[in-house]
């Protein structure tokens, strides 16, 4: 589980691309008040030369890349392999004409090139469900776990009904673990920006934009253009 959290961290909030973008944004926001006409004045600053401000950013970005490399080497040495199973779509607050809570669902996708045995895999936090023995998900396949399986008849995919619980309308964590209790995927969604607000009772679901990118980041989710989402099929 620890290795899974390290991988989630360096693939999501602390990915090189995401972390460097945040640092650059902070640099650009602060710069006018540090250097230049409206910047810190001589005698009242520890910045000996204006160019040192840019140099500081460069050093931070280098440190981010270095720590990323160290973390990835650590995961490789431990033999960690990220799972190909990802949480790909969530309908947590259906519109009134969509059957209220009965329409709620969570979708998973196998992004890998081989089938995965889901026997004993389980959802926790919010909803409770354990996949039956001999359940398999093929490469590229989507599976739906819903509050009411009958509400999703005719999807042409495997549909399961969760045992208990519901998806909070204000947002919460959804965790998928394997049969040994090791975290496979983990998403904390919200009904507030930067999460798409039209998924909060507006009839849309939350859909992952890029299945290969970190689904822990709200900017990798969008509101579905189709009412009720696209359960059991590609989000595109």
């Amino acid at each position: 589980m620890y290795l899974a959290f390290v991988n989630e961290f360096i693939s999501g909030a602390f990915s090189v691309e995401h972390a460097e973008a945040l640092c650059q944004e902070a640099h650009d926001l602060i710069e006018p008040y540090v250097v230049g006409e409206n910047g810190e004045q001589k005698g009242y600053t520890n910045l000996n030369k204006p160019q040192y401000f840019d140099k500081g950013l460069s050093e931070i970005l280098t440190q981010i890349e270095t720590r990323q490399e160290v973390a990835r080497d650590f995961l490789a040495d431990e033999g960690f392999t990220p799972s190909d199973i990802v949480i790909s779509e969530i309908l947590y607050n259906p519109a009134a004409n969509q059957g209220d809570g009965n329409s709620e669902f969570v979708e998973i996708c196998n992004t890998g090139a081989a089938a995965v045995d889901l026997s004993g895999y389980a959802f926790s936090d919010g909803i409770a469900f354990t996949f039956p023995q001999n359940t398999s998900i093929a490469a590229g396949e989507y599976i739906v776990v819903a509050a009411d399986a009958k509400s999703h008849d005719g999807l042409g995919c495997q549909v399961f009904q969760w045992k208990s619980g519901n998806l909070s309308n204000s947002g919460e964590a959804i965790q998928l673990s394997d049969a040994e209790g090791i975290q496979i995927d983990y998403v904390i969604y919200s009904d507030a920006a930067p999460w798409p607000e039209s998924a909060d009772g507006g009839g849309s679901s939350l859909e992952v934009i890029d299945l290969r990118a970190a689904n822990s980041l709200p900017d990798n989710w969008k509101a579905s253009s189709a009412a009720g989402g696209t359960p059991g099929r590609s989000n595109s």
Side-chain angles (χ1 to χ4, degrees), residues 89 91 94 98-106 144-162 228-232:
E89 188 170 359
L91 181 62
Q98 293 174 327
D100 298 325
N102 287 338
S103 297
E104 292 183 3
F105 70 85
V106 176
V144 172
V145 179
D148 181 7
K150 291 183 178 179
S151 295
H152 295 83
D153 283 345
L155 289 180
C157 68
Q158 297 187 73
V159 179
F160 298 90
Q161 183 169 310
W162 62 61
T230 55

Side-chain angles (χ1 to χ4, degrees), residues 70-90:
V70 170
R72 295 198 180 282
D73 287 346
F74 163 70
L75 292 176
D77 290 342
E78 293 293 326
F80 176 81
T81 302
S83 173
D84 292 322
I85 309 302
V86 299
I87 297 170
S88 52
E89 188 170 359
I90 304 166

Side-chain angles (χ1 to χ4, degrees), residues 20-35 50-58 60:
E20 289 186 351
L22 288 177
C23 289
Q24 186 67 56
E25 181 181 357
H27 169 277
D28 295 345
L29 178 67
I30 297 169
E31 185 177 30
Y33 307 99
V34 177
V35 299
Q51 56 265 38
Y52 285 178
F53 187 68
D54 289 334
K55 182 181 178 183
L57 173 63
S58 178
I60 291 173

Side-chain angles (χ1 to χ4, degrees), residues 8 11-15 18 187-188 195 213-221:
E8 178 186 350
S11 300
F14 203 68
S15 67
H18 190 254
V187 174
I188 304 177
W195 287 87
N215 63 355
S216 58
L217 300 177
D219 56 10
N220 193 26
W221 291 82

Side-chain angles (χ1 to χ4, degrees), residues 58-187:
S58 178
E59 291 174 348
I60 291 173
L61 300 184
T62 298
Q63 177 70 356
I64 290 172
E65 294 171 359
T66 299
R67 297 313 302 167
Q68 272 275 342
E69 184 176 349
V70 170
R72 295 198 180 282
D73 287 346
F74 163 70
L75 292 176
D77 290 342
E78 293 293 326
F80 176 81
T81 302
S83 173
D84 292 322
I85 309 302
V86 299
I87 297 170
S88 52
E89 188 170 359
I90 304 166
L91 181 62
Y92 67 91
N93 187 13
N97 63 355
Q98 293 174 327
D100 298 325
N102 287 338
S103 297
E104 292 183 3
F105 70 85
V106 176
E107 176 196 80
I108 62 173
C109 177
N110 181 1
T111 64
V116 175
D117 182 6
L118 295 179
S119 302
Y121 277 46
F123 278 104
S124 59
D125 293 338
I127 62 172
F129 172 75
T130 301
F131 284 94
Q133 291 298 308
N134 301 317
T135 302
S136 178
I137 182 170
E141 182 181 0
Y142 294 85
I143 288 180
V144 172
V145 179
D148 181 7
K150 291 183 178 179
S151 295
H152 295 83
D153 283 345
L155 289 180
C157 68
Q158 297 187 73
V159 179
F160 298 90
Q161 183 169 310
W162 62 61
K163 182 179 180 180
S164 61
N166 55 62
L167 298 174
S168 172
N169 290 349
S170 59
E172 65 180 332
I174 302 175
Q175 177 170 301
L176 177 66
S177 303
D178 66 14
E180 297 179 351
I182 304 301
Q183 178 183 299
I184 297 301
D185 200 12
Y186 185 79
V187 174

